[in-house]
């Protein structure tokens, strides 16, 4: 008897979304289930870099760096509106663990491993060149440094959304707020699963030939839902970031700096008209959904930034918001956290449950290649063969006809250029759908005084991007939750518009606003922004 689906994917972060897209584009019958909203977990809490992993060279992970660098090139081709080139500088100070010679060797290796790239090679800088380029840097002990290029995805959440949209357009069924509560294994093979729709309260059961557990740091929790004893894998580490506004001496490039306290490199990155500073690396136990930056991490990031930029004078009140996430790394009892491998593991449960595949680890940069490898492995369990992988070159939805989109938006005289730039940076060519909605109302309505945020975006998020809650709209569709005020000034109007299209009554609209404020507060540890 034929199963309902060829492949059921559990987890709607970047890996799950990428797997669902790859499989659907090949012609498989796919369902994706996410217990919260798409991209609401680890993906949202990353450093938002598409990079080769320069630090991984220290641990000899050359294949991972090679893979990452080539996936960086592919992502810049298939999602140019989301993935942009980023200039980075590594300052070298007297007494640091990594001297100029070591840094140069790393730079040469980085260039060699990224043969075929279309961005400039590295360049070593002497002290005067570096001070001239970044005059705010601490000069005491500065020996020089290196300049190189990687890439940045300002809104990693949108990368997830576009993979979800692409999967859906290719025929996949995608469901957020659906938690898997049981996985049925019979005679050594997976048969199907049960899930709970948390918004409707209804339970559903489906059959599937293959189940892919791409739940990130929740992989072990999903395995606990199998109707037999299963192994455990996860040993994640927490990474925290702080977001601040511009400061005295702030860099024009991203800085990759060695911390004085522990020698661990961290980033100071221009991001979303703010600065993203991070990350930490601390072993983490407990519910990955409840982690937050602690006082020690915040003080560490502030102190190290103030050391590198002496005139910055950053304090807790300088922080707009802060966030922490759990890296879905394999369990390792001993050794430094930074030495835990960042390469992904695609584990087929051949002995316990044929057809069940668990994803351990994985980087934002390599999600596409991970998806390709996973679907290749899943295909072995499915009797009917399908087409080849298409994601190596097929554009994400927002990248299709991108140039003509910019021209069309620019031609609308009522749209200020900052609004056009913002729409394209978030939605790419799909911004035309928003424009159509806005123009259908005969007038373009704005939600902010700067006239960069359109009311039509709320409607688009609900109609076309699977948004179910106000938090979804604010944080993972319109991206206003990542503004300095977390979108607080426009939240009441956002809720009013959303209520019309999601059929909320006054009580539900009020509940959604309260839920949003509670969600906002988790990004504001005590003393932040006060």
């Amino acid at each position: 008897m034929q199963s309902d689906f060829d492949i059921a994917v559990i987890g709607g972060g970047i890996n799950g979304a990428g797997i669902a897209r790859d499989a659907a584009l090949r012609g498989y019958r796919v369902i994706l289930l996410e217990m919260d909203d798409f991209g609401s977990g680890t993906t949202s809490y990353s450093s938002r870099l598409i990079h080769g992993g320069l630090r991984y060279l220290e641990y000899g992970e050359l294949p991972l760096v090679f893979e990452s660098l080539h996936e960086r090139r592919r992502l810049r081709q298939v999602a140019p509106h989301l993935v942009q080139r980023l200039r980075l500088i590594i300052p070298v100070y007297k007494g640091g663990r990594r001297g100029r010679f070591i840094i140069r060797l790393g730079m040469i290796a980085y260039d060699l491993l990224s043969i075929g790239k279309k961005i400039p090679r590295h360049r070593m800088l002497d002290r005067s060149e570096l001070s001239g380029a970044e005059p705010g840097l601490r000069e005491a002990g500065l020996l020089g440094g290196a300049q190189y290029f990687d890439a940045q995805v300002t809104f990693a959440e949108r990368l997830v959304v576009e993979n979800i949209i692409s999967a859906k357009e290719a025929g996949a069924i995608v469901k957020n707020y659906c938690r898997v509560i049981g996985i049925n294994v019979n005679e050594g093979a997976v048969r199907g699963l049960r899930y709970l729709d948390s918004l409707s309260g209804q339970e559903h059961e489906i059959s599937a030939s293959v189940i892919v557990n791409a739940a990130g740091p929740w992989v072990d929790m999903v395995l606990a839902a199998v109707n037999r004893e299963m192994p455990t894998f996860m040993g994640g580490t927490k990474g925290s970031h702080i977001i601040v506004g511009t400061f005295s001496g702030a860099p024009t490039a991203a800085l990759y700096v060695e911390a004085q306290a522990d020698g661990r490199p961290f980033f100071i990155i221009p991001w979303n008209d703010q600065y993203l500073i991070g990350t930490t690396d601390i072993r983490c136990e407990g519910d990955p959904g409840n982690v937050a930056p602690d006082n020690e991490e915040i003080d560490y990031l502030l102190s190290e930034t103030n050391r590198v930029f002496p005139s910055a004078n950053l304090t807790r009140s300088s922080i707009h918001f802060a966030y922490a996430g759990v890296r879905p790394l394999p369990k390792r009892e001993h050794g430094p956290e930074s030495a835990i491998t960042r390469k992904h593991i695609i584990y087929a449960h051949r002995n316990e449950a044929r057809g069940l595949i668990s994803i351990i680890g994985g980087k934002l940069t390599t999600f596409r290649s991970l998806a390709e490898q996973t679907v290749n492995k899943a295909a072995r369990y499915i009797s009917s063969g399908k087409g080849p992988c298409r994601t190596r070159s097929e554009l994400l939805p927002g990248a299709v006809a991108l140039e003509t989109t910019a021209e069309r938006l620019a031609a609308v005289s009522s749209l200020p250029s900052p609004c056009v730039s913002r729409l394209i940076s978030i939605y790419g060519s799909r911004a035309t759908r928003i424009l159509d909605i806005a123009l259908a109302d005969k007038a373009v309505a704005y939600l902010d005084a700067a006239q960069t945020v359109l009311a039509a975006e709320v409607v688009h998020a609900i109609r076309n991007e699977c948004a179910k809650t106000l938090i979804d709209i604010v944080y993972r569709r319109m991206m206003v939750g990542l503004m300095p005020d977390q979108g607080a000034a426009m939240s009441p109007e956002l809720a009013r518009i959303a209520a019309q299209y999601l059929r909320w009554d006054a009580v539900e609209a009020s509940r959604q606003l309260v839920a949003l404020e509670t969600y906002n507060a988790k990004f504001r540890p005590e003393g932040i922004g006060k």
Side-chain angles (χ1 to χ4, degrees):
M1 184 175 70
Q2 188 181 48
S3 299
D4 296 328
F5 296 96
D6 296 316
I7 300 174
V9 182
I10 303 172
I14 190 61
N15 287 337
I19 292 165
R21 177 186 186 232
D22 186 301
L25 285 172
R26 297 194 202 193
Y28 290 111
R29 294 169 300 132
V30 179
I31 185 171
L32 180 145
L33 302 168
E34 162 58 42
M35 67 176 179
D36 201 287
D37 185 31
F38 306 122
S40 61
T42 299
T43 304
S44 294
Y45 304 131
S46 69
S47 297
R48 302 170 181 273
L49 293 175
I50 301 297
H51 66 123
L54 181 61
R55 184 172 58 84
Y56 308 150
L57 291 174
E58 292 186 40
Y59 299 100
E61 295 200 278
L62 299 184
L64 175 59
V65 177
F66 181 84
E67 178 186 27
S68 300
L69 289 168
H70 286 266
E71 286 303 306
R72 180 191 67 186
R73 176 176 55 83
R74 288 195 178 103
L75 290 178
R76 292 191 67 229
Q77 292 171 343
V78 303
H81 57 303
L82 297 176
V83 181
Q84 303 288 331
R85 189 172 79 175
L86 180 69
R87 182 168 64 97
L88 294 101
I89 288 177
I90 305 176
V92 178
Y93 284 92
K94 185 177 181 180
R97 297 186 185 182
R98 303 162 185 87
R100 281 174 57 85
F101 178 71
I102 294 298
I103 295 295
R104 182 162 191 172
L105 285 180
M107 291 283 94
I108 292 171
Y110 211 57
D111 282 340
L112 288 174
L113 289 168
S114 57
I115 292 173
K117 69 178 183 179
K118 295 183 179 180
I119 58 178
R121 297 171 64 86
H122 84 277
R123 189 164 70 88
M124 298 303 294
L125 306 174
D126 62 26
R127 174 180 172 140
S128 62
E129 286 179 300
L130 187 46
S131 294
E134 299 295 348
L137 274 173
R138 178 172 66 89
E139 292 193 3
L142 182 63
L143 301 176
Q147 173 184 282
Y148 70 106
F149 291 85
D150 258 323
Q152 178 183 58
V153 54
T154 304
F155 303 120
E157 299 85 349
R158 294 296 310 176
L159 197 59
V160 175
V161 168
E162 291 215 13
N163 274 270
I164 291 291
I165 291 166
S166 180
K168 187 177 180 182
E169 290 177 345
I173 293 174
V174 296
K175 291 181 174 288
N176 46 357
Y177 297 99
C178 289
R179 181 191 297 270
V180 172
I181 56 177
I183 297 176
N184 179 29
V185 174
N186 187 21
E187 297 181 350
V190 296
R191 304 302 177 186
L193 58 80
R194 289 181 297 114
Y195 68 90
L196 172 68
D197 184 325
S198 61
L199 298 182
S200 70
Q202 295 182 331
E203 289 188 18
H204 303 270
E205 188 168 355
I206 61 168
S207 60
S209 300
V210 176
I211 296 175
V212 178
N213 176 8
W218 290 271
V219 158
D220 287 349
M221 185 186 79
V222 170
L223 291 175
V226 179
N227 62 344
R228 61 179 55 200
E229 188 173 348
M230 298 294 288
T232 58
F233 297 98
M234 305 311 297
T237 66
K238 181 175 70 165
S240 294
H241 300 78
I242 59 175
I243 310 299
V244 302
T246 191
F247 52 88
S248 177
T252 57
L255 267 287
Y256 192 25
V257 190
E258 182 180 290
Q260 187 176 64
D262 56 9
R264 188 181 191 278
F266 73 102
F267 292 100
I268 303 168
I269 308 172
W271 170 80
N272 195 29
D273 297 324
Q274 303 167 88
Y275 282 85
L276 184 155
I277 303 171
T279 180
T280 59
D281 201 359
I282 301 170
R283 278 188 169 84
C284 180
E285 296 181 359
D287 184 353
N290 290 333
V291 299
D294 59 36
N295 289 331
E296 290 77 12
E297 291 175 291
I298 291 172
D299 290 343
Y300 166 86
L301 294 172
L302 287 172
S303 174
E304 291 292 347
T305 304
N306 286 331
R307 179 183 63 82
V308 178
F309 292 95
S311 63
N313 296 317
L314 296 173
T315 66
R316 293 175 74 88
S317 63
S318 307
I319 300 173
H320 293 162
F321 55 92
Y323 62 78
V326 177
R327 303 175 183 89
L329 304 179
K331 183 163 46 182
R332 177 171 172 173
E333 301 296 339
H334 306 289
E337 291 82 358
S338 57
I340 302 174
T341 183
R342 266 50 174 181
K343 66 183 178 183
H344 54 257
I345 299 168
I346 303 170
Y347 185 87
H349 296 265
R350 297 185 184 89
N351 296 327
E352 310 94 1
R354 292 188 307 277
L356 177 61
I357 298 171
S358 289
I359 308 300
I360 301 100
K363 286 160 37 68
L364 181 61
T365 304
T366 56
F367 81 87
R368 192 219 60 82
S369 58
L370 180 153
E372 180 180 352
Q373 294 163 33
T374 301
V375 178
N376 288 345
K377 186 166 287 192
R380 302 170 190 170
Y381 299 94
I382 302 170
S383 57
S384 57
K386 297 293 181 179
C389 174
R390 292 166 50 185
T391 61
R392 291 190 177 198
S393 58
E394 186 145 334
L395 300 178
L396 282 170
V400 178
L402 196 55
E403 290 185 7
T404 57
T405 297
E407 293 171 0
R408 184 186 171 197
L409 265 63
V412 179
S413 59
S414 59
L415 288 180
S417 58
C419 178
V420 172
S421 297
R422 177 186 166 275
L423 289 173
I424 291 175
S425 72
I426 295 174
Y427 306 100
S429 57
R430 290 175 64 82
T432 57
R433 299 189 178 207
I434 296 168
L435 180 61
D436 290 340
I437 294 169
L439 295 179
D441 290 334
K442 309 302 181 185
V444 177
Y446 297 96
L447 296 177
D448 62 330
Q451 295 190 334
T452 60
V453 183
L454 300 182
E457 294 176 58
V458 184
V459 184
H460 174 71
I462 296 166
R463 283 183 183 171
N464 304 317
E465 297 191 337
C466 307
K468 302 290 177 57
T469 74
L470 189 58
I471 295 170
D472 300 347
I473 295 167
V474 169
Y475 275 90
R476 292 176 292 275
R477 304 306 187 278
M478 295 175 62
M479 310 315 302
V480 295
L482 300 183
M483 291 179 170
D485 74 339
Q486 299 174 285
M490 62 185 83
S491 293
E493 183 62 10
L494 287 168
R496 186 192 68 78
I497 298 169
Q500 297 178 44
Y501 292 90
L502 288 170
R503 299 181 181 180
W504 296 336
D505 59 20
V507 172
E508 178 60 19
S510 177
R511 190 192 71 80
Q512 290 282 334
L513 277 168
V514 170
L516 175 61
E517 178 51 38
T518 301
Y519 191 81
N520 289 345
K522 85 173 192 174
F523 298 110
R524 299 194 302 266
E526 185 178 355
I528 279 184
K530 296 179 181 177

